[in-house]
Amino acid sequence: MSKKHDHDHAHALLPPEPALRVQAIETLLVEKGLVDSAAVDAIVDAYSNDIGPRNGALVVARAWTDPEYLDRLRKDATSAISELGFSGMQGEHMVAVENSENLHNVVVCTLCSCYPWPVLGLPPAWYKSSAYRARVVREPRAVLDEFGLSFPKDVEIRVWDSTAEVRYLVIPKRPVDTDAMAADELAGLVTRDSMIGTGLALAPEAS
Amino acid sequence: MRPPVKPDRPFAEPWHGKLFALTHALVGAGHFTWSDWTTHFGVALERARVLDNSTDGSDYYDTWLEALERFLADRRHTDLDQIEALEAAWTAAYLRTPHGAPVEL
């Protein structure tokens, strides 16, 4: 048995078929000068390490604490977001949609999975599923209920369909009893799902 | 205070990240727009939903891979035979490379 085991590992571990396929495409694109492999690696690295929902949380926390910033965010979300250093592909045409006592916003991309990368990173698996993409438009209350959110009838649910051109960031309602908290601290309450609209901002821990 | 909200692991498999980044880099280099790509990819996702009853998103990157190959071939950037040949070459390279040594074509 152990001999057989040794044999299995005598050569480099063969990656799964799609990984080999992607490697073949990369080799070809680099050979043809269509992409630069260092640029490809830099993109993987940025999305694995630097770009994520923490960025969006900082935008939301600033909007909660700085009325002038909120005003700029309402007028031109793209430039208000880039003020904080977040810009780039799929963040060129941002629109901020604010939740209130009588309005709850939720975001989808019915076509594929367009998503505001610079502020949220890459979408979670459920956002990419066709079940979510189709159902949240047809029966938003039922879908939100599955996420543990229910709203009284007089709260309007508005569904925003992202496109390759326009991306939406939900500004969740600021939790109660957070008046004394600074923006940095508030950002810790802003979850990814609350900025998609399938969650709410967290309540501060009871102290 | 709570720790920052941990994002999901952005790429479940390394090749998902590589595929995403390749597409991103092609757009960045101006070979096509993201909107061209999403239109094509949207059709492929819809086809996968109808034909394979795929609804949970688990084969999202498989569909992406197939769609990108087709898209690049349609636009004459690459062709499928070249991809096949390089995939075979990489497979052979892995099989002949001693464990632990860098794999090269």
Side-chain angles (χ1 to χ4, degrees):
Chain A
M1 282 304 273
S2 75
K3 274 221 157 72
K4 171 119 179 25
H5 184 86
D6 288 346
H7 170 80
D8 282 346
H9 291 264
H11 56 71
L13 203 61
L14 191 65
E17 202 273 333
L20 289 163
R21 195 89 184 163
V22 171
Q23 198 162 1
I25 295 173
E26 182 181 20
T27 305
L28 192 56
L29 293 174
V30 170
E31 271 177 8
K32 287 173 173 274
L34 293 169
V35 298
D36 171 33
S37 64
V40 174
D41 291 343
I43 293 165
V44 174
D45 184 58
Y47 281 92
S48 301
N49 299 310
D50 303 332
I51 303 175
R54 177 77 187 163
N55 294 358
L58 293 171
V59 171
V60 171
R62 178 77 182 271
W64 282 345
T65 51
D66 179 345
E68 285 174 15
Y69 183 78
L70 177 60
D71 198 42
R72 294 200 293 283
L73 191 67
R74 285 171 174 155
K75 286 186 180 131
D76 180 353
T78 310
S79 69
I81 290 168
S82 74
E83 271 179 48
L84 303 190
F86 312 131
S87 59
M89 226 160 94
Q90 309 310 311
E92 297 98 336
H93 303 286
M94 291 293 308
V95 172
V97 290
E98 285 168 74
N99 290 346
S100 66
E101 290 307 320
N102 40 29
L103 173 64
H104 182 82
N105 296 284
V106 59
V107 180
V108 65
C109 170
T110 54
L111 175 68
C112 46
S113 57
C114 297
Y115 195 70
W117 297 340
V119 280
L120 295 186
L122 291 173
W126 55 261
Y127 186 87
K128 298 181 285 197
S129 70
S130 65
Y132 177 76
R133 291 187 285 116
R135 287 187 54 227
V136 76
V137 177
R138 264 198 329 261
E139 40 176 4
R141 283 177 194 271
V143 171
L144 291 175
D145 191 58
E146 288 162 27
F147 279 91
L149 296 185
S150 61
F151 296 93
K153 283 230 158 40
D154 59 346
V155 174
E156 182 192 346
I157 308 291
R158 206 173 282 172
V159 181
W160 299 87
D161 192 0
S162 313
T163 65
E165 282 80 35
V166 183
R167 306 302 167 100
Y168 301 95
L169 178 71
V170 174
I171 308 298
K173 278 194 305 176
R174 180 172 175 165
V176 294
D177 299 328
T178 55
D179 292 353
M181 290 171 76
D184 270 5
E185 223 178 335
L186 286 166
L189 305 178
V190 184
T191 63
R192 176 196 66 202
D193 288 3
S194 74
M195 295 180 279
I196 303 176
T198 54
L200 303 176
L202 304 171
E205 279 172 83
S207 50
Chain B
M1 165 179 172
R2 291 165 203 270
V5 179
K6 279 238 159 97
D8 286 352
R9 207 153 48 120
F11 304 112
E13 300 281 344
W15 68 266
H16 295 174
K18 190 66 112 172
L19 180 62
F20 169 83
L22 278 173
T23 313
H24 196 309
L26 284 161
V27 172
H31 301 299
F32 48 85
T33 66
W34 195 260
S35 170
D36 294 336
W37 161 247
T38 54
T39 303
H40 175 84
F41 182 40
V43 172
L45 282 169
E46 183 58 17
R47 188 184 303 124
R49 188 185 67 78
V50 173
L51 295 184
D52 310 330
N53 195 27
S54 138
T55 56
D56 66 355
S58 60
D59 57 357
Y60 179 81
Y61 281 106
D62 298 270
T63 307
W64 183 315
L65 173 55
E66 227 179 286
L68 183 65
E69 285 183 25
R70 172 75 49 202
F71 185 69
L72 291 172
D74 286 351
R75 295 179 166 238
R76 312 226 179 284
H77 289 306
T78 59
D79 69 58
L80 295 175
D81 291 345
Q82 292 172 302
I83 295 172
E84 294 284 350
L86 277 164
E87 186 191 343
W90 272 115
T91 305
Y94 275 95
L95 294 177
R96 71 165 178 262
T97 303
H99 188 59
V103 180
E104 285 168 357
L105 269 187

